[in-house]
Amino acid sequence: MATVQSLAQRFDDTIHNYMAAIDKSLHPTRELDEEMVRKAVFLVRHDGVQIQSFNEEKLILEAIVKDAHTVKVFLNFDKLTAICACPQEETCRHKLAVIFALYQKIGSLSQWVADWRSRPNDQLAMLSNKRSPAQWTAIIRNAWREAIPDYTTRNYFYFEQMYEGRLKNALSFVPLEREWKVLYRTYAHFISLTEVWDSYISGTKEVHHSFFKTWFEDELHELHDLLEQLRTQHRTFESDAFFEHLRVMVHSFVTVKDRSFSQRFALYQLFWTNLFSSNKMRIEEAAAFSRPDDRISAFFAILLKDAVKESKISPDEASDWIGLATLAESEGHEQALTAILMAVKPHVKTFLFDGLYSQYRQQYVRTLSRLFSLVQLSEEDWEDLFKQFGHYGLPAYSVYLIEKQLYKQWAELHHLHNSPLYFAEECGLKEVQNAAPDYVLPLYHRYAFMHLEERNRSSYKQAVRIWKKMKAACKKSGQMAFWTAYMNEIQTQNKRLRALQEEIEKGNLL
């Protein structure tokens, strides 16, 4: 390979193009940009860049940068692209360092940095203007001016790093006045969410889908906290335009027609339940939709205490409607709660087993059980509902059977599903034993024999503990004669198990 000096001179136009791209994309007033340039210059001046090779055919230069960890960087002189092995997004200090190392062979790096730091900045110009919603929007969107790399949708950790970095850039321009801080942060979080929306939705379909979904939930919590602060904060006349602009942005966001309506709707509800709370505004907003989605119509009907029309829903909408049922419960809107739950009921099984990951099913079954208990259902409806719940509905079904005093069915249910002892106790075993001790005897027998089959003293002790409960049930039901015959049979069948015989004697079971 020719010397680095001769290579730089040969491709001086290419290097100047790289530098021009850096000058255009980075801004000295942005803290992260300034820090990136400063660290790249430090790496160059401390011999942290080594040019390894240059492929004359493909015009690709390979270099290594000795940072906290040594990383490889490739520059494609033909396509004016740069690739780095580090996890940073498109621009990183390692790429800058390699370009700077080449540039200083044909120009003054110190002079370039000085000129870059002193040049006028678009964001400074924007900040010098009178504060306005348009100014805030432009500043925040400027932090997202670079295209989002495709690989962030396939790797959540790159996505998170990219999002936090750009959000931090946007938040670096937060106003100094206390009364404007929370409103600006709300703008920054909402606009950043809209900017990264397509990448987030794509990420929910990739291998790290659960991380993307958790990230979105965390962002909703962050926005919820900000909106709660805004709701209780004193408003000035000057801020009215900012709130109105925010309302318009939120409305435009939810009217986008794509496959992410459920997520958009979740964000939309956040603003209209926590911030825009006057009936006048809600009536105007509901009327602003020419052909609103049924979920939006039901949402405003609940908030305005209007009747919710009963309608058929598709299974993939069930999650949204369950959320609306929860809202109806909190608003004390009984008619809306009944109408929504009756629409959801035919799709419960499909929603639980086709629309949810297994770790969320128990939580939704508890929610649905609570909601349905608030409306009038026939016994046939309850039976159908519990069948749809499957084994996830055992706790709720157990409570229902106990309330109806159907103790025999309760015991049969837990026999059928081979419920372990701890689970049967959580589902009301003690209540059933108190009310109908006869029905729990077969269950206790099965639990004791499960331990007996393990053939060790520790398991025998567990069996004796269960037999004590069985003895108490026999005593309560007046079956002590049966109990004595039962224990005699146990001892006879297991007379060679000395440890068991000793534990039975210690337990005073006879």
Side-chain angles (χ1 to χ4, degrees):
M1 185 184 79
T3 64
V4 177
Q5 181 76 42
S6 62
L7 187 67
Q9 291 174 347
R10 177 182 162 195
F11 291 96
D12 61 336
D13 287 344
T14 302
I15 295 169
H16 277 103
N17 287 337
Y18 272 118
M19 295 297 289
I22 293 171
D23 184 73
K24 182 179 179 181
S25 63
L26 302 184
H27 295 270
T29 55
R30 287 174 55 191
E31 183 180 345
L32 292 184
D33 288 359
E34 199 284 330
E35 181 183 19
M36 195 187 307
V37 169
R38 178 166 42 82
K39 288 184 176 180
V41 172
F42 177 86
L43 290 169
V44 172
R45 289 175 176 164
H46 288 78
D47 298 322
V49 178
Q50 291 182 7
I51 307 300
Q52 297 290 96
S53 64
F54 182 73
N55 187 313
E56 290 285 351
E57 183 181 348
K58 297 182 179 179
L59 299 182
I60 294 177
L61 179 139
E62 178 183 344
I64 61 171
V65 179
K66 296 179 179 178
D67 199 355
H69 299 284
T70 299
V71 294
K72 278 191 176 183
V73 175
F74 297 91
L75 300 186
N76 188 322
F77 284 4
D78 182 39
K79 297 180 180 179
L80 275 180
T81 58
I83 299 174
C84 179
C86 79
Q88 298 292 326
E89 57 173 306
E90 283 195 10
T91 305
C92 70
R93 61 181 179 269
H94 309 119
K95 298 174 188 176
L96 295 186
V98 174
I99 295 169
F100 288 169
L102 293 172
Y103 178 75
Q104 72 173 1
K105 301 296 183 182
I106 58 173
S108 171
L109 181 59
S110 298
Q111 185 61 48
W112 183 90
V113 173
D115 293 342
W116 177 76
R117 285 176 173 159
S118 63
R119 72 181 173 83
N121 183 269
D122 293 339
Q123 286 184 323
L124 282 177
M126 284 190 288
L127 287 173
S128 66
N129 296 332
K130 182 181 178 182
R131 180 188 290 122
S132 68
Q135 179 211 47
W136 279 10
T137 303
I139 290 173
I140 296 164
R141 292 199 189 284
N142 191 58
W144 291 91
R145 66 192 180 281
E146 295 179 14
I148 298 173
D150 289 340
Y151 60 77
T152 60
T153 64
R154 298 186 296 273
N155 191 311
Y156 167 75
F157 305 102
Y158 291 158
F159 171 87
E160 182 184 40
Q161 189 174 51
M162 177 272 298
Y163 182 81
E164 289 181 354
R166 297 192 184 187
L167 177 62
K168 185 178 179 182
N169 283 339
L171 291 174
S172 65
F173 294 95
V174 67
L176 298 176
E177 301 91 340
R178 181 183 301 175
E179 62 271 21
W180 292 102
K181 286 182 181 292
V182 178
L183 186 53
Y184 181 87
R185 291 182 67 85
T186 303
Y187 263 67
H189 276 271
F190 176 73
I191 293 173
S192 294
L193 258 178
T194 63
E195 289 287 337
V196 80
W197 193 259
D198 290 341
S199 298
Y200 151 64
I201 294 299
S202 297
T204 60
K205 299 175 177 62
E206 295 289 345
V207 65
H208 289 161
H209 52 80
S210 61
F211 291 104
F212 281 94
K213 290 179 179 179
T214 301
W215 168 84
F216 181 60
E217 291 170 2
D218 291 342
E219 282 300 302
L220 289 183
H221 284 304
E222 180 69 27
L223 264 173
H224 177 271
D225 291 343
L226 290 169
L227 295 176
E228 280 292 301
Q229 294 177 57
L230 280 180
R231 186 172 60 83
T232 58
Q233 184 175 290
H234 174 70
R235 294 189 190 181
T236 63
F237 175 77
E238 187 183 0
S239 68
D240 288 349
F242 290 83
F243 283 96
E244 175 59 21
H245 184 70
L246 185 59
R247 186 193 66 77
V248 171
M249 288 195 296
V250 171
H251 177 86
S252 298
F253 176 74
V254 82
T255 56
V256 174
K257 302 293 184 182
D258 62 15
R259 295 183 178 181
S260 66
F261 178 82
S262 290
Q263 294 93 330
R264 290 178 183 273
F265 185 46
L267 185 56
Y268 180 79
Q269 289 181 83
L270 202 61
F271 281 88
W272 282 98
T273 52
N274 294 283
L275 184 61
F276 306 127
S277 55
S278 75
N279 279 357
K280 181 176 181 295
M281 290 183 69
R282 289 170 173 175
I283 291 171
E284 291 174 352
E285 176 68 12
F289 295 91
S290 56
R291 296 179 63 184
D293 185 283
D294 287 344
R295 286 162 284 186
I296 289 179
S297 298
F299 171 64
F300 282 108
I302 293 168
L303 294 179
L304 296 169
K305 307 299 182 185
D306 294 335
V308 172
K309 298 178 182 178
E310 293 190 18
S311 59
K312 291 184 178 180
I313 68 172
S314 62
D316 60 346
E317 297 175 359
S319 178
D320 298 336
W321 286 101
I322 292 169
L324 289 171
T326 303
L327 177 64
E329 177 196 17
S330 65
E331 294 289 325
H333 198 319
E334 187 175 341
Q335 184 275 331
L337 180 61
T338 302
I340 292 169
L341 290 179
M342 290 301 101
V344 168
K345 183 175 168 291
H347 307 296
V348 168
K349 182 177 180 180
T350 303
F351 167 68
L352 289 175
F353 294 95
D354 295 341
L356 285 178
Y357 293 107
S358 58
Q359 62 264 36
Y360 301 116
R361 289 171 189 160
Q362 190 67 60
Q363 170 192 339
Y364 268 96
V365 165
R366 285 197 295 266
T367 299
L368 287 168
S369 299
R370 189 192 76 250
L371 292 173
F372 275 103
S373 69
L374 301 174
V375 301
Q376 295 296 321
L377 287 185
S378 65
E379 289 193 14
E380 291 77 12
D381 285 333
W382 275 115
E383 291 289 340
D384 174 64
L385 192 62
F386 289 126
K387 285 179 182 177
Q388 294 193 69
F389 286 164
H391 66 277
Y392 292 98
L394 285 179
Y397 196 14
S398 298
V399 171
Y400 171 78
L401 293 173
I402 291 172
E403 288 176 349
K404 296 292 184 180
Q405 299 182 0
L406 301 173
Y407 304 117
K408 184 174 184 291
Q409 289 89 327
W410 184 97
E412 291 171 347
L413 178 71
H414 287 278
H415 266 300
L416 177 65
H417 289 276
N418 291 319
S419 301
L421 177 58
Y422 78 88
F423 185 69
E425 289 177 337
E426 290 176 0
C427 292
L429 176 61
K430 186 175 181 180
E431 290 88 336
V432 175
Q433 180 173 334
N434 289 335
D438 288 0
Y439 296 128
V440 301
L441 297 180
L443 279 173
Y444 281 135
H445 169 74
R446 180 165 66 85
Y447 295 141
F449 263 71
M450 288 172 62
H451 289 293
L452 202 62
E453 290 171 356
E454 295 178 15
R455 293 293 191 267
N456 61 69
R457 186 175 291 273
S458 177
S459 63
Y460 297 154
K461 289 180 179 179
Q462 294 296 328
V464 167
R465 291 191 183 99
I466 293 170
W467 278 326
K468 285 183 177 180
K469 294 179 181 181
M470 187 174 177
K471 179 181 180 181
C474 287
K475 186 174 182 181
K476 186 174 180 63
S477 60
Q479 299 188 63
M480 290 305 292
F482 162 78
W483 170 252
T484 302
Y486 172 81
M487 284 309 303
N488 285 333
E489 182 65 21
I490 294 292
Q491 286 183 304
T492 301
Q493 290 183 0
N494 299 280
K495 59 185 177 181
R496 294 184 179 181
L497 301 179
R498 182 182 297 176
L500 173 62
Q501 301 289 345
E502 291 175 356
E503 293 301 325
I504 289 176
E505 187 176 343
K506 287 179 185 177
N508 194 27
L509 294 177
L510 288 172

